[in-house]
């Protein structure tokens, strides 16, 4: 009869900053202290919300405020009466949806502006 030993392994990944092996569920790297990327579903959710805001409320720059680009959002608000930000918002919404998760994350999700 085999002994009941705990053979469950914890899933590990590599830190995207220092390259050390860390637990996959770790929010911060214990070696360098850098916050790890959000899980894919969080990025996908952010991409979908940004796209819907761009399509539905693009005239007012809601998607720009959501993505942390406040100055551009204010510019959209200043010119909303022309209708041009609404057209640009529809195009940007389609672009957000057409980007892969990695492309969206690199361009918008990790931006600190």
């Amino acid at each position: 009869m085999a002994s009941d030993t705990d053979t469950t392994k914890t899933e590990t990944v590599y830190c995207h900053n220092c390259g050390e092996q860390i637990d996959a569920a770790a929010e911060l790297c214990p070696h360098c202290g850098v916050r790890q990327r959000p899980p894919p579903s969080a990025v996908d959710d952010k991409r979908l919300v940004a796209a819907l805001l761009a399509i539905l409320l693009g005239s007012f720059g809601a998607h720009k405020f959501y993505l942390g680009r406040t100055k551009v959002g204010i510019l959209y608000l200043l010119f909303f009466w022309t209708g041009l930000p609404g057209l640009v918002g529809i195009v940007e919404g389609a672009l957000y949806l057409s980007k892969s998760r990695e492309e969206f994350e690199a361009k918008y999700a990790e931006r600190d502006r």
Side-chain angles (χ1 to χ4, degrees):
M1 182 171 195
S3 65
D4 292 330
T5 58
D6 188 16
T7 59
T8 59
K9 294 182 180 179
T10 59
E11 187 177 339
T12 59
V13 294
Y14 293 97
C15 173
H16 69 272
N17 184 53
C18 68
E20 292 290 328
Q21 196 170 13
I22 60 172
D23 189 310
E27 188 173 333
L28 298 174
C29 175
H31 303 284
C32 66
V34 173
R35 184 171 304 282
Q36 299 302 297
R37 293 186 180 114
S41 63
V43 173
D44 289 337
D45 291 346
K46 188 170 188 167
R47 182 174 63 119
L48 181 62
V49 170
L52 289 175
L53 285 173
I55 293 168
L56 300 175
L57 298 172
S59 295
F60 305 107
H63 60 295
K64 296 298 183 180
F65 289 110
Y66 180 73
L67 293 173
R69 301 198 59 205
T70 307
K71 292 177 185 175
V72 179
I74 292 172
L75 190 64
Y76 275 58
L77 278 175
L78 291 175
F79 290 99
F80 84 93
W81 58 273
T82 65
L84 188 60
L87 295 174
V88 173
I90 292 170
V91 171
E92 286 181 327
L95 287 174
Y96 295 160
L97 291 174
S98 68
K99 290 188 180 300
S100 69
R101 181 181 59 84
E102 292 82 15
E103 290 173 330
F104 184 84
E105 182 180 11
K107 190 163 185 177
Y108 303 106
E110 293 182 357
R111 177 173 280 165
D112 291 325
R113 286 190 184 178

